[in-house]
Amino acid sequence: MIATSKTPLDHFRTPLLQTPFHARTAPANRLNHWGPWAGYMTALCYGDSDMEYTAIRNGASVYDLCPMVKYAVRGREAAAYLNRLTIRNAAKLSVGGVHYTVWCDDAGKILDDGTLFRHAEDHYVICCQERHLGWLLDSAEGFEVTVEEITEDIAALSLQGPCSATVLGAAGFDVSALKPFRMARFPFEGGEITVSRTGFTGDLGYELWMAPDQALPFWDHLFAAGAPWNIRPIGTDALNLARIEAGFIITNMDFIPADQALREDRPRSPLEMGLDWMIDWEKGHFTGRRALLAEREKGSDWALIGLEVPGNISAEGSILYYGKKVEAGFITAAAWSPSVKKSIALAQVPARHRGGHDLWVEIYALRELQYVKLMLPVTVVERPFFNPARKRATPPGRV
Amino acid sequence: MPSFDAILIGGGVNGLACAARLAGKGRRVLLLEAKAQPGGGAGTVEFAPGFHVPALAQTTQGLDPRVMAGMGLERHGLAFHPALTTTALSATGDHLIVSGGRAGGPDAEAFAALHRKLADFARVLAPFRGIAPPRLTNKGNEWGKLARYGLGIRALGQAEFREFLRMILINVYDVVQDELTDDRLKGLIAFDTTLGSWLGPRSPNSLILYLNRLAVGADPLLPKGGMGALAAAMARAAQAAGVEIRSASPVARVLVEGDRATGVVTEAGEELRAGLVVSAINPRLTFQRLVGPRHLDAGFFTRTHHIRSRGAAAKLHLALKGVPEFRGADLRSRLVIAPSVEAVEACFNPGKYGEVPKAPVLEAILPSAHEPGLAPAGQHCLSAIVQFAPHSPKAGVEAARAEMLENTLAVLEAHAPGLRALITHAEMLMPQDIEARFGMVGGNWHHGELAVEQMLFNRPLREAAQYATPLPGLWLAGAGSHPGGGINGASGWNAAERILAEGRA
């Protein structure tokens, strides 16, 4: 007898899953330009990345977030569990709050980063890039918690841009009192949606969480309400530009998860990624703490820095040099920033070069089918590169 | 201010050795033993009225010389009978006597040569038992000694060094097939190799266990007064060195304050504090029960489950109302029934599938033949280690115990006709019973299987291989750490040396 499987036997015909919004995103994707993300088809660009980026910074943009991996952590010891798992203090996160966090392996190297949502005293949701069920379950031993992957049980959109609060208001969701990193619930068509004031653009924005069967009605409702503000679906290309301006890092782009790295020197610690501000050294033991303490004592090998590069050629994929001669790190993300009007970059450098003294970037600029080698001096600058006040304003400005 | 420099958890041979060494160096040491008396696997039990047998281990290949001398054990009354001769029993009375690396029979010369070679290998490996295992990272290694001991191996000479490299990871089955013809001798070596392990003779790398055995001593020793006397002498010596021993004080958990082990809480609820805590009990129990996941990294804690710890040795105790007759065998010798290397392998196979072997192989001694008082006059007690008992019996422990007992008695009867009629009381301890009585996970005598992949820097786990554990202030000193078990004390002594060298106590 053939055992019945949850996965249909012809799954190979659609190797990439479609999100609950696919019936709307597919026709909107005029370029049919898709990429894989965590096993899902995801739009890289719907029609014009510049216009999509412009919607993020000047209007209202909608990004399909469904492929984000989500885990529900429930139980009496959920906070204690998350405090052992992550480097930040999950117990200090109040109900209805969200925070950015990171978890490490024993060696104190990052496994992933993500956002942690606290829905109740004993109920959190982790939202992240990579899959970690094994690690999360291993970490649960000895704690009164359950950990469950709920990626497919939740559909989500990210509504970002200066008009996002106004659009939500027009759609009947009054978020004017909602502060950054807080959540609110609203009724919608007999059900409920959760709105969190979070995002990955460094702008005013919200993430909208719902049951998969609410996805299409909600999309239609939101786009009808947002039409006067020219609400527009955006692809990953535009989002990536916005996140670089915001100085945000992405797992498997700016660092490799420790459990996926093959080369011994590739994993990075929170200290090396500039995330030491999150570590709560006093909350008790967490996985990787002793290794991180030792690293704090002896100093880190690497540092993540933000750079400005002269000119307007993106330094993506470039190598950095000290004194134009000695290799000194590499660029992990770079773009010419329309908002800052500068070429900006994120880079990993050996810690001694974190100050940027005599640091140069070698860029291969493609000019009409011919690469031209540029050696340009870089300047270390603070992140975020772009940091508008509207991101934090409560109530948000009406437009 | 803690009242002790160190609290030792577990008063087995290693715990006593470690405690005594620390106390001898002026440290204030409290040793907590769960049972009524210290000794762990070394003890004497009256399993039937008037019949005294070794509670678990029945012989030792020899205590670590550092323990013997350092604790002044002779002064404290420890003495051994002359090293035991081994009789490889034959069901037809055609026994083979083996002693001091010499055997009778057709293979006398071949065995002497093989023994010389293996004893040479064991001799150059032995010093490694006395140091903390080296690690691959350049941290905490005793480079001077490592270099000297490494050169010692090379100093075997080119031909012998080649042989060493050829044989170091070989299995014992191949060795005896290559070198010997006498089934009795092959069976005996295969049996001695796999005693207390979870390996058959043909399992990869099994020979190294034989080398490890030889590195301690060639022939088994029986303490005068029984195993309990050995434990008592060690306890006396530890106390004389200044160790405070509290028996019947099981520990409930290790106290952790400020990310450091600062003491223990006993099951009676008493909090005891010390500069450091040394656990000489099973490493898995140490991390899982006494420390718990909250003070350990998730990866490490998960891996504590992967310390393989299957036990295959069962323990048989018989009260006999008369003198058993093993077709003329010397009752003061170690009696081994392992008719061939295939017979040993055939006993290992069923265990893999949760079944009981049809004709178990075993090592028996008659303590009452060595000294009076262990059994009523004219009567005898027999103690035997019987292999291989299933670590996970398909039919359940009770059924497996009954079958193991029946099959063992049938084997004994075949070698000593009339023995069954002499039995007034019989007790068979399965690995599960041994686990329950002695806190040995899986009933494994080494507190974690002794096998190449769980030796040296992998014993018990990489992060805890040099006796220090990831939890500051907590150390390991039991057989679960390098070099492993047997009534020997090297793990405990090594741990103490390490603690002293790091100046942590």
Side-chain angles (χ1 to χ4, degrees):
Chain A
M1 199 178 103
I2 296 168
T4 45
S5 156
K6 271 177 83 178
T7 311
L9 292 176
D10 60 351
H11 60 91
F12 64 91
R13 294 185 198 283
T14 49
L16 288 179
L17 300 169
Q18 297 172 350
T19 79
F21 295 106
H22 192 78
R24 296 295 178 271
T25 55
N29 194 340
R30 287 183 288 125
L31 296 179
N32 211 16
H33 190 29
W34 303 95
W37 175 21
Y40 285 88
M41 279 176 85
T42 196
L44 301 179
C45 174
Y46 284 87
D48 183 328
S49 282
D50 293 337
M51 291 303 288
E52 291 166 25
Y53 166 81
T54 303
I56 298 173
R57 293 289 180 232
N58 299 291
S61 68
V62 175
Y63 185 68
D64 182 356
L65 264 191
C66 296
M68 286 297 283
V69 176
K70 298 173 258 327
Y71 298 100
V73 177
R74 293 190 187 87
R76 193 177 63 78
E77 292 192 299
Y81 163 76
L82 287 162
N83 268 353
R84 154 89 159 348
L85 176 76
T86 66
I87 65 175
R88 209 168 172 180
N89 194 330
K92 282 190 181 164
L93 179 63
S94 59
V95 172
V98 185
H99 71 203
Y100 173 59
T101 190
V102 154
W103 52 102
C104 296
D105 67 2
D106 292 12
K109 301 298 184 185
I110 303 174
L111 289 167
D112 207 348
D113 64 351
T115 37
L116 183 67
F117 297 76
R118 190 169 198 178
H119 290 287
E121 275 299 311
D122 57 356
H123 179 198
Y124 292 81
V125 170
I126 300 170
C127 196
C128 58
Q129 183 78 356
E130 302 291 325
R131 293 187 197 268
H132 298 282
L133 190 60
W135 181 258
L136 298 184
L137 289 175
D138 282 352
S139 298
E141 193 185 344
F143 290 89
E144 213 178 286
V145 289
T146 59
V147 180
E148 183 191 4
E149 172 153 2
I150 54 167
T151 303
E152 293 184 26
D153 303 338
I154 294 176
L157 295 174
S158 181
L159 173 67
Q160 303 281 312
C163 300
S164 53
T166 310
V167 166
L168 280 177
F173 310 114
D174 179 7
V175 292
S176 54
L178 194 62
K179 292 180 178 162
F181 293 105
R182 299 296 302 171
M183 289 184 279
R185 291 203 172 89
F186 296 94
F188 177 72
E189 292 205 344
E192 205 177 48
I193 66 152
T194 298
V195 177
S196 59
R197 188 165 168 188
T198 49
F200 206 54
T201 59
D203 216 307
L204 175 64
Y206 302 85
E207 288 170 330
L208 316 167
W209 313 86
M210 66 205 78
D213 60 5
Q214 293 175 305
L216 297 181
F218 184 82
W219 177 284
D220 295 339
H221 178 71
L222 183 69
F223 275 77
W229 290 271
N230 223 353
I231 190 170
R232 170 190 286 272
I234 63 156
T236 305
D237 295 346
L239 178 69
N240 192 44
L241 177 51
R243 74 92 187 177
I244 294 172
E245 291 180 331
F248 292 150
I249 54 173
I250 298 184
T251 307
N252 258 325
M253 292 178 76
D254 298 285
F255 68 92
I256 187 161
D259 57 336
Q260 294 178 21
L262 299 177
R263 293 167 179 81
E264 214 174 54
D265 62 343
R266 293 302 193 266
R268 295 289 179 262
S269 77
L271 304 175
E272 291 172 322
M273 293 303 289
L275 300 172
D276 40 328
W277 59 272
M278 282 202 287
I279 301 176
D280 185 340
W281 298 102
E282 306 305 321
K283 68 173 177 173
H285 184 68
F286 57 88
T287 297
R289 182 176 184 274
R290 292 175 191 126
L292 291 169
L293 264 181
E295 183 183 333
R296 193 174 68 163
E297 294 278 301
K298 118 180 183 319
S300 304
D301 292 338
W302 291 87
L304 181 83
I305 54 174
L307 296 176
E308 275 179 18
V309 183
N312 61 1
I313 309 293
S314 166
E316 202 174 354
S318 298
I319 293 176
L320 293 164
Y321 292 85
Y322 171 66
K324 297 193 195 181
K325 290 257 190 292
V326 187
E327 272 190 35
F330 51 93
I331 305 287
T332 63
W336 189 81
S337 161
S339 292
V340 183
K341 307 279 185 266
K342 278 176 182 155
S343 183
I344 57 174
L346 297 174
Q348 284 190 18
V349 293
R352 63 182 174 281
H353 292 297
R354 69 185 337 144
H357 171 67
D358 204 5
L359 210 54
W360 299 74
V361 64
E362 182 185 54
I363 300 175
Y364 284 63
L366 187 60
R367 289 180 177 157
E368 296 176 352
L369 302 183
Q370 186 177 330
Y371 278 109
V372 177
K373 197 163 87 173
L374 309 174
M375 185 66 87
L376 302 171
V378 297
T379 314
V380 174
V381 294
E382 287 294 310
R383 291 178 293 142
F385 302 98
F386 178 66
N387 192 14
R390 62 180 181 251
K391 177 173 86 176
R392 292 171 297 276
T394 309
R398 307 280 304 174
V399 281
Chain B
M1 181 66 189
S3 12
F4 300 97
D5 294 318
I7 292 176
L8 252 293
I9 305 171
V13 169
N14 283 302
L16 288 165
C18 183
R21 178 60 175 162
L22 292 175
K25 285 285 179 179
R27 309 307 193 268
R28 292 163 304 163
V29 181
L30 171 67
L31 186 149
L32 299 172
E33 163 59 37
K35 298 175 116 189
Q37 262 137 27
T44 301
V45 65
E46 186 177 0
F47 78 102
F51 292 88
H52 301 82
V53 288
L56 187 61
Q58 56 188 18
T59 59
T60 163
Q61 291 302 108
L63 284 171
D64 186 291
R66 297 169 300 168
V67 176
M68 200 66 199
M71 290 180 76
L73 289 177
E74 279 178 25
R75 249 186 316 138
H76 290 281
L78 178 62
F80 292 98
H81 292 286
L84 294 184
T85 292
T86 293
T87 307
L89 289 177
S90 148
T92 61
D94 185 16
H95 306 318
L96 182 75
I97 311 293
V98 181
S99 173
R102 304 244 153 225
D107 282 347
E109 266 180 55
F111 177 70
L114 176 63
H115 180 82
R116 254 197 319 276
K117 181 159 76 174
L118 297 182
D120 273 349
F121 296 167
R123 176 177 53 76
V124 296
L125 288 174
F128 289 95
R129 292 177 49 89
I131 56 169
R135 290 183 61 177
L136 293 181
T137 54
N138 189 10
K139 259 200 311 203
N141 289 343
E142 299 174 49
W143 289 114
K145 285 181 180 172
L146 283 170
R148 200 160 75 239
Y149 300 162
L151 281 174
I153 300 177
R154 187 61 186 83
L156 283 168
Q158 181 150 311
E160 286 297 279
F161 183 58
R162 270 199 192 118
E163 271 298 271
F164 177 87
L165 291 180
R166 181 180 73 83
M167 295 181 76
I168 184 68
L169 294 180
I170 205 170
N171 69 68
V172 70
Y173 177 90
D174 286 347
V175 173
V176 296
Q177 294 298 71
D178 283 350
E179 312 273 347
L180 303 171
T181 60
D182 188 336
D183 276 342
R184 298 167 299 180
L185 201 49
K186 292 199 269 185
L188 173 65
I189 294 172
F191 178 84
D192 283 347
T193 298
T194 54
L195 191 60
S197 77
W198 201 90
L199 296 176
R202 287 175 179 170
S203 300
N205 323 125
S206 54
L207 183 74
I208 203 162
L209 298 188
Y210 193 73
L211 297 179
N212 185 50
R213 181 183 167 93
L214 287 180
V216 181
D219 290 311
L221 295 170
L222 203 59
K224 285 188 175 158
M227 273 295 168
L230 179 143
M234 289 191 77
R236 274 197 302 277
Q239 280 165 327
V243 178
E244 180 182 336
I245 298 179
R246 282 193 211 166
S247 294
S249 301
V251 170
R253 62 186 175 87
V254 169
L255 262 177
V256 181
E257 293 158 322
D259 199 36
R260 204 184 153 77
T262 56
V264 300
V265 181
T266 65
E267 281 186 6
E270 191 183 358
E271 285 192 6
L272 297 160
R273 284 188 163 70
L276 56 88
V277 177
V278 187
S279 172
I281 69 161
N282 190 285
R284 235 158 89 167
L285 298 180
T286 301
F287 294 119
Q288 294 180 359
R289 292 216 195 130
L290 298 190
V291 179
R294 279 152 218 253
H295 304 295
L296 297 167
D297 289 343
F300 177 81
F301 191 80
T302 301
R303 268 178 289 120
T304 62
H305 292 293
H306 305 165
I307 302 170
R308 285 191 296 100
S309 197
R310 291 161 296 189
K315 186 77 198 296
L316 174 72
H317 300 145
L318 294 179
L320 304 172
K321 64 185 176 198
V323 186
E325 171 50 47
F326 286 87
R327 300 188 203 274
D330 177 5
L331 294 184
R332 295 182 1 140
S333 66
R334 179 174 72 117
L335 306 168
V336 174
I337 302 179
S340 67
V341 62
E342 286 81 9
V344 180
E345 186 77 26
C347 285
F348 176 62
N349 290 336
K352 293 188 278 192
Y353 309 103
E355 291 161 7
V356 169
K358 294 286 168 262
V361 288
L362 61 90
E363 167 198 278
I365 59 165
L366 274 82
S368 50
H370 292 269
E371 38 196 290
L374 298 178
Q379 307 192 44
H380 276 287
C381 46
L382 180 146
S383 167
I385 301 168
V386 190
Q387 294 204 141
F388 293 81
H391 63 282
S392 179
K394 237 176 1 196
V397 178
E398 292 312 314
R401 184 191 291 107
E403 191 183 351
M404 193 80 186
L405 179 62
E406 176 53 37
N407 293 355
T408 305
L409 292 181
V411 166
L412 282 170
E413 179 73 21
H415 289 77
L419 180 134
R420 293 193 76 153
L422 299 176
I423 299 172
T424 54
H425 194 83
E427 176 181 60
M428 177 66 88
L429 300 182
M430 296 295 274
Q432 296 75 13
D433 305 314
I434 291 168
E435 172 165 17
R437 283 195 192 183
F438 298 95
M440 295 168 162
V441 171
N444 184 280
W445 291 23
H446 295 280
H447 287 294
E449 288 168 39
L450 203 55
V452 166
E453 69 277 16
Q454 295 200 141
M455 284 180 171
L456 294 168
F457 43 80
N458 285 323
R459 188 165 191 86
L461 287 169
R462 170 173 57 80
E463 297 89 337
Q466 291 181 331
Y467 310 103
T469 71
L471 176 63
L474 177 69
W475 295 73
L476 296 180
S481 296
H482 171 79
I487 302 301
N488 178 256
S491 303
W493 199 267
N494 287 355
E497 293 292 341
R498 195 74 186 182
I499 291 166
L500 293 167
E502 304 224 339
R504 297 287 171 79

